[in-house]
Amino acid sequence: MKNTILIIAFVLSGCTAFAQQKSDFHTWAATPPMGWNSWDCYGPTVTETEVKANADYMSRYLKKYGWEYIVVDIRWYVANDKSHGYNENNPDYNIDAYGRFIPSVNRFPSAAGGKGFKPLADYLHSKGLKFGIHIMRGVPVIAVKQGLPIKGSKATARDIYTEKDQCKWLHDMYTIVPGKEGAQEYYNSIFELYASWGLDFVKVDDLSAPIYFAEEIEMIRKAIARTGRKIVLSTSPGETPVAQGAHVQQHANMWRTVNDFWDNWKPLNEHFEVFERWNQWRAPGAWPDGDMLPLGRIGIRAEVGNPRMTAFTHDEQYTLMTLWSIFRSPLMFGGNLPDNDPFTLSLITNKNVLSVLNKSKNNKPVLTDATRAIWTAEPTDKAGKYLAVFNRTEQKMAITVELSSYGFQSPVTITDLWTGKVLGQFTGTFAPDINAHGTGLYLVSGK
């Protein structure tokens, strides 16, 4: 009888822990995640040496500012991939006996001997950083063709797949049929493996557009909860339907709002409307994601363009960082960090700007038209209000802010957050000159 009581107590405590784990996952990303992702500079070809070089830079220069995630993007399991288009003719896959992709040893030597990504994760953790990977939705085509068994189930990969709704731009995976015996168990098995490696972040691709796979998102959420490890979930790519805002907010920590974002003005300019649409769905631990920051040196072995420093002007880079910060989008840096110039480093280590990202509330657009945009927010750690003004035109111009219209009572003191300079006291209006495609970010406080 005593043993029976102990068993029941153990089971109940396990259920309670599971429920707590499931309900608390938003606390794992209480502020917008900040990190580095290999995609913009290395496409599907990044190597362990390159990942470690970026981690070393982050640990030395960025960690104290809140940057912490190092994310290995797509196809780390292919030994012979290439830039400017995936190798789909003769991909050299690495897969285990349960149909789970494992790291390619020629690119990630520490994975040899079945160690997977654990040695690399251990290296990052030793530097106080967190480790992330990219995966594709579904079950590997090669696992289906080989009829590989699913760990924790009597089913095989052939029992859980359908060719319907296969990803249009990469054909590594088939769709998993929710409700099939072995379907949830497959997702359980891969996240069990990732948790054993020490994973802290997962970016799951082909989940949101052109089809929103609600049931697979829920399966992934359950599989993560089952591991007992705090793995932040990012859904990707493309324009997640705003109509699914409530669902994705409930199940993910961050989700993409646009297709892949690169370094030219047109898509940056479009983010004003994109962020306005998504503003109501932001919540602590649930962040609409404007995509990676194509800053610094990108295109080294990427899908778009050749090796280059970002094509954004300095003013456009200020606009990007200001808009992402006052909207509170996750910040995932896309350039090769060791190649940063002093300007790029200054851009991503400005404490005043990062405080807007991490310590603000009631963030909202108050004006958006073809020529300008104005956003406001409230600090959570000091008095005053934040004010961001944006010039969407091709010419420098003054942007007039009627202070009382936006809740700023005169007289006020205005501080430029990018420079740290106190601009003075203002009454009635504030009309800063803003460069073409540029921005101003300010703290407005009582005199």
Side-chain angles (χ1 to χ4, degrees):
M1 181 66 179
K2 182 178 180 181
N3 289 340
T4 301
I5 293 172
L6 288 173
I7 292 170
I8 292 172
F10 176 79
V11 171
L12 289 175
S13 66
C15 291
T16 302
F18 179 86
Q20 187 76 9
Q21 173 91 339
K22 186 175 181 181
S23 63
D24 287 350
F25 79 90
H26 285 113
T27 65
W28 307 344
T31 56
M34 299 168 59
W36 174 84
N37 181 295
S38 61
W39 171 254
D40 283 358
C41 44
Y42 295 112
T45 70
V46 71
T47 67
E48 183 169 359
T49 298
E50 291 160 340
V51 172
K52 286 183 173 180
N54 279 274
D56 292 345
Y57 182 100
M58 182 177 288
S59 177
R60 182 175 181 182
Y61 296 107
L62 303 180
K63 180 175 174 288
K64 61 185 176 182
Y65 296 96
W67 298 86
E68 60 179 348
Y69 290 98
I70 294 288
V71 183
V72 177
D73 210 272
I74 198 164
R75 290 193 119 196
W76 38 265
Y77 46 81
V78 176
N80 60 344
D81 218 332
K82 62 186 183 67
S83 59
H84 296 102
Y86 303 103
N87 177 9
E88 293 203 71
N89 293 324
N90 60 336
D92 184 1
Y93 292 120
N94 292 264
I95 197 165
D96 74 2
Y98 292 108
R100 303 174 296 187
F101 283 132
I102 54 177
S104 174
V105 173
N106 69 318
R107 291 169 53 195
F108 300 94
S110 69
K115 297 185 181 70
F117 271 132
K118 189 176 190 310
L120 180 56
D122 288 347
Y123 181 85
L124 301 181
H125 293 156
S126 73
K127 292 181 170 292
L129 304 176
K130 295 180 179 180
F131 176 55
I133 59 173
H134 169 291
I135 65 170
M136 296 295 296
R137 170 188 64 85
V139 60
V141 172
I142 187 173
V144 172
K145 290 183 176 179
Q146 295 181 5
L148 296 179
I150 295 169
K151 187 176 182 183
S153 171
K154 295 179 181 179
T156 72
R158 289 175 181 164
D159 299 317
I160 67 170
Y161 89 102
T162 176
E163 295 184 25
K164 182 183 178 184
D165 299 327
Q166 185 182 31
C167 179
K168 303 297 184 186
W169 47 268
L170 183 62
H171 301 94
D172 290 345
M173 316 295 281
Y174 283 137
T175 298
I176 288 177
V177 181
K180 284 273 192 177
E181 168 63 30
Q184 182 65 55
E185 287 80 1
Y186 181 76
Y187 274 121
N188 291 349
S189 75
I190 63 173
F191 281 99
E192 178 183 286
L193 179 64
Y194 303 157
S196 74
W197 292 342
L199 193 71
D200 304 296
F201 181 101
V202 64
K203 173 183 174 183
V204 187
D205 214 327
D206 194 41
L207 270 178
S208 304
I211 299 170
Y212 183 82
F213 292 93
E215 290 180 289
E216 285 203 62
I217 291 172
E218 292 176 19
M219 292 165 70
I220 292 165
R221 175 81 272 140
K222 291 177 183 177
I224 292 173
R226 180 179 174 273
T227 69
R229 186 168 180 83
K230 297 177 180 179
I231 301 173
V232 168
L233 172 59
S234 168
T235 69
S236 181
E239 300 177 33
T240 303
V242 176
Q244 296 291 347
H247 185 271
V248 73
Q249 184 191 72
Q250 181 184 357
H251 294 284
N253 295 107
M254 51 187 277
W255 58 91
R256 285 275 292 279
T257 60
V258 295
N259 292 318
D260 284 1
F261 172 57
W262 289 98
D263 51 331
N264 61 83
W265 172 248
K266 184 177 183 293
L268 174 54
N269 193 31
E270 290 169 351
H271 272 80
F272 291 104
E273 282 74 23
V274 170
F275 283 172
E276 186 165 4
R277 288 196 297 271
W278 276 105
N279 197 56
Q280 66 173 311
W281 293 112
R282 181 183 55 254
W287 310 104
D289 173 20
D291 198 17
M292 286 181 289
L293 312 178
L295 301 175
R297 185 167 182 247
I298 58 177
I300 297 171
R301 295 191 305 276
E303 292 303 284
V304 175
N306 295 312
R308 63 196 183 279
M309 291 301 286
T310 182
F312 283 134
T313 66
H314 281 194
D315 285 308
E316 290 166 348
Q317 292 179 63
Y318 282 127
T319 288
L320 190 162
M321 285 295 297
T322 299
L323 182 58
W324 264 239
S325 295
I326 202 159
F327 175 71
R328 306 196 73 194
S329 171
L331 301 183
M332 289 291 170
F333 191 87
N336 190 50
L337 289 172
D339 292 328
N340 278 356
D341 58 14
F343 173 78
T344 304
L345 180 59
S346 72
L347 194 70
I348 59 177
T349 56
N350 186 300
K351 291 182 178 180
N352 293 331
V353 177
L354 294 178
S355 185
V356 177
L357 175 79
N358 291 309
K359 299 177 182 179
S360 62
K361 65 181 181 179
N362 296 329
N363 311 63
K364 61 184 178 181
V366 293
L367 185 151
T368 305
D369 63 29
T371 63
R372 58 194 171 149
I374 298 175
W375 280 65
T376 61
E378 299 172 18
T380 58
D381 62 340
K382 62 175 72 75
K385 289 191 176 183
Y386 290 128
L387 170 68
V389 296
F390 302 91
N391 179 358
R392 303 177 71 179
T393 74
E394 304 295 326
Q395 293 84 33
K396 183 176 182 177
M397 71 173 184
I399 297 180
T400 300
V401 178
E402 298 292 341
L403 293 170
S404 61
S405 297
Y406 300 131
F408 302 122
Q409 301 304 314
S410 299
V412 295
T413 298
I414 297 182
T415 303
D416 185 322
L417 293 180
W418 276 110
T419 65
K421 292 177 60 176
V422 176
L423 302 182
Q425 292 186 2
F426 296 82
T427 301
T429 62
F430 173 56
D433 288 328
I434 305 297
N435 290 338
H437 297 179
T439 188
L441 180 62
Y442 310 99
L443 175 66
V444 183
S445 55
K447 68 174 185 176

